[in-house]
Amino acid sequence: IGATAELKMARHKELDIEVAIKIYDRKKMNNMHLKNLEREVEILNLIKHPNIINLYHTYENYKSIFLIMEYSSPINLETFMKGRPFKRINEDEAKILFRQIAEAVSYMH
């Protein structure tokens, strides 16, 4: 749960895949929030990369705005690192993570 959105996991029945649903409460959003959300959706619709979360669909009603997105593990890099002994990873793991991050950043540029 964030300042303007809540995130839930769901299952797409037809495709039989897990998805993340980002739910924005219109009451909590001002014009700046709406502009930023429009920009986020516009950018996500333009990009397709294996190391960047995909946006599948958007839906809105009078109360909320829903972003149906690719589901990813709830463990982010920070949480992953905190769970490691001495907060370190070996060189092989570091190479894989760094390559994924570098490829995503390169794609965005």
Side-chain angles (χ1 to χ4, degrees), residues 2-6 22-41 59-67:
T4 57
E6 179 179 353
K22 203 171 185 182
I23 306 166
Y24 289 89
D25 185 346
R26 286 184 182 271
K27 292 178 186 173
K28 295 180 180 178
M29 300 182 77
N30 60 32
N31 284 339
M32 183 186 72
H33 291 125
L34 287 170
K35 281 185 181 183
N36 287 339
L37 178 58
E38 286 175 14
R39 196 162 147 231
E40 177 183 355
V41 168
Y59 171 77
E60 55 185 285
N61 60 26
Y62 71 94
K63 186 178 164 186
S64 303
I65 301 170
F66 304 88
L67 273 57

Side-chain angles (χ1 to χ4, degrees), residues 8-94:
K8 296 190 179 215
M9 188 179 92
R11 177 164 293 284
H12 190 292
K13 289 181 183 179
E14 292 175 14
L15 299 176
D16 195 32
I17 59 170
E18 292 178 334
V19 295
I21 303 177
K22 203 171 185 182
I23 306 166
Y24 289 89
D25 185 346
R26 286 184 182 271
K27 292 178 186 173
K28 295 180 180 178
M29 300 182 77
N30 60 32
N31 284 339
M32 183 186 72
H33 291 125
L34 287 170
K35 281 185 181 183
N36 287 339
L37 178 58
E38 286 175 14
R39 196 162 147 231
E40 177 183 355
V41 168
E42 185 179 311
I43 291 168
L44 287 172
N45 278 324
L46 293 172
I47 59 176
K48 298 292 179 236
H49 190 275
N51 297 332
I52 301 172
I53 298 292
N54 286 319
L55 174 66
Y56 295 132
H57 186 68
T58 58
Y59 171 77
E60 55 185 285
N61 60 26
Y62 71 94
K63 186 178 164 186
S64 303
I65 301 170
F66 304 88
L67 273 57
I68 315 303
M69 307 175 83
E70 178 180 13
Y71 174 77
S72 178
S73 168
I75 298 175
N76 60 28
L77 184 57
E78 180 184 11
T79 305
F80 174 76
M81 291 302 295
K82 284 182 180 178
R84 305 296 295 186
F86 308 108
K87 296 184 176 66
R88 293 179 186 254
I89 57 176
N90 67 43
E91 188 174 339
D92 290 335
E93 290 173 314

Side-chain angles (χ1 to χ4, degrees), residues 51 77 96-107:
N51 297 332
L77 184 57
I96 292 167
L97 291 172
F98 187 75
R99 183 179 309 118
Q100 290 173 345
I101 294 167
E103 287 173 354
V105 170
S106 175
Y107 175 82

